[in-house]
Amino acid sequence: MDFDYFYRRDGERYSFYMLPKVLVTDDRFKNLSSDAKVLYSCLLDRNELSNRNGWIDEEERVYIIFTINEIMECLNKSNRTAVKILTELEKIGLIQRKRQGLGKPNLIYVMDFMTGLDCECNNYTPEVKNLHSRNVESTLQEVKKVHGTNTNNINTDNSNTYFKGEQKVYGGFKNVFLSDRLDECQ
């Protein structure tokens, strides 16, 4: 394969899985395999999608469904290795699986890795969580700048920068297009 060089191109044109730095730097996770860290990143991504789609149990906990076959395909691993990686994440406490029975896939609860950690992120308190979960329109003017841009799309595999329908386009910069259309924000 011949790959091209990077030329001052915008890296935001790709979809990314977020690998939390603490999984690499904290001693509690030093024995966790690289495959398990990558899978946890995939599970975190799917957890956010489940949250947006309302996959919440009776105790208000977000769950995901990520089958062994999906893990095998995602990581290009065998069935045995996929099960081993899931078990590794479960043993360390980063996930919990709940069997549904009757041939249904397990529900997976992705656990919050920041719970109980003393690291450089010790300012991550429930107050900060609430601040980031608020709607920007209902936030005080003084803290509106704290909110980052929501780059998460429902379909995390594709990034579509084309607008649908007719609108007057005023111009663009990098991946931002200025138009008279207000209802199509993704």
Side-chain angles (χ1 to χ4, degrees), residues 18-31:
M18 293 191 315
L19 176 63
K21 187 176 179 180
V22 70
L23 293 182
V24 177
T25 60
D26 195 276
D27 287 339
R28 294 175 227 202
F29 303 115
K30 69 179 178 183
N31 293 326

Side-chain angles (χ1 to χ4, degrees), residues 16-186:
F16 293 95
Y17 288 114
M18 293 191 315
L19 176 63
K21 187 176 179 180
V22 70
L23 293 182
V24 177
T25 60
D26 195 276
D27 287 339
R28 294 175 227 202
F29 303 115
K30 69 179 178 183
N31 293 326
L32 199 60
S33 71
S34 296
D35 285 339
K37 292 174 185 179
V38 170
L39 178 58
Y40 185 75
S41 295
C42 297
L43 297 177
L44 278 176
D45 184 65
R46 185 68 70 93
N47 195 61
E48 186 60 34
L49 180 64
S50 290
N51 186 32
R52 284 195 307 259
N53 288 328
W55 288 22
I56 299 171
D57 69 7
E58 61 280 348
E59 295 179 42
E60 299 293 318
R61 301 176 302 184
V62 178
Y63 65 88
I64 66 172
I65 296 176
F66 205 63
T67 65
I68 297 295
N69 287 337
E70 288 176 307
I71 294 169
M72 290 168 48
E73 185 177 322
C74 180
L75 298 179
N76 195 28
K77 301 291 180 186
S78 69
N79 183 295
R80 186 175 178 167
T81 304
V83 170
K84 179 182 164 192
I85 295 167
L86 264 179
T87 303
E88 185 179 354
L89 288 173
E90 193 167 36
K91 280 184 181 178
I92 200 164
L94 287 175
I95 66 166
Q96 286 184 6
R97 290 184 278 184
K98 180 179 177 184
R99 300 195 192 293
Q100 295 191 90
L102 301 171
K104 294 180 182 178
N106 293 338
L107 301 181
I108 299 175
Y109 293 92
V110 181
M111 308 306 287
D112 184 358
F113 61 91
M114 293 301 296
T115 307
L117 288 182
D118 290 329
C119 68
E120 69 269 7
C121 301
N122 58 2
N123 292 330
Y124 196 69
T125 62
E127 291 81 19
V128 174
K129 284 183 184 178
N130 289 338
L131 177 66
H132 289 294
S133 65
R134 296 175 92 181
N135 188 342
V136 175
E137 286 78 26
S138 65
T139 305
L140 296 173
Q141 185 174 4
E142 294 82 23
V143 292
K144 279 190 179 183
K145 293 181 181 177
V146 174
H147 295 280
T149 304
N150 182 8
T151 59
N152 297 320
N153 294 324
I154 299 284
N155 184 354
T156 59
D157 295 331
N158 296 320
S159 178
N160 186 1
T161 58
Y162 300 102
F163 290 104
K164 298 175 184 89
E166 289 187 33
Q167 73 261 340
K168 186 174 182 181
V169 177
Y170 296 108
F173 177 74
K174 295 191 178 187
N175 64 341
V176 177
F177 296 94
L178 305 173
S179 75
D180 60 353
R181 190 121 181 216
L182 297 175
D183 60 23
E184 193 76 31
C185 297
Q186 290 190 18

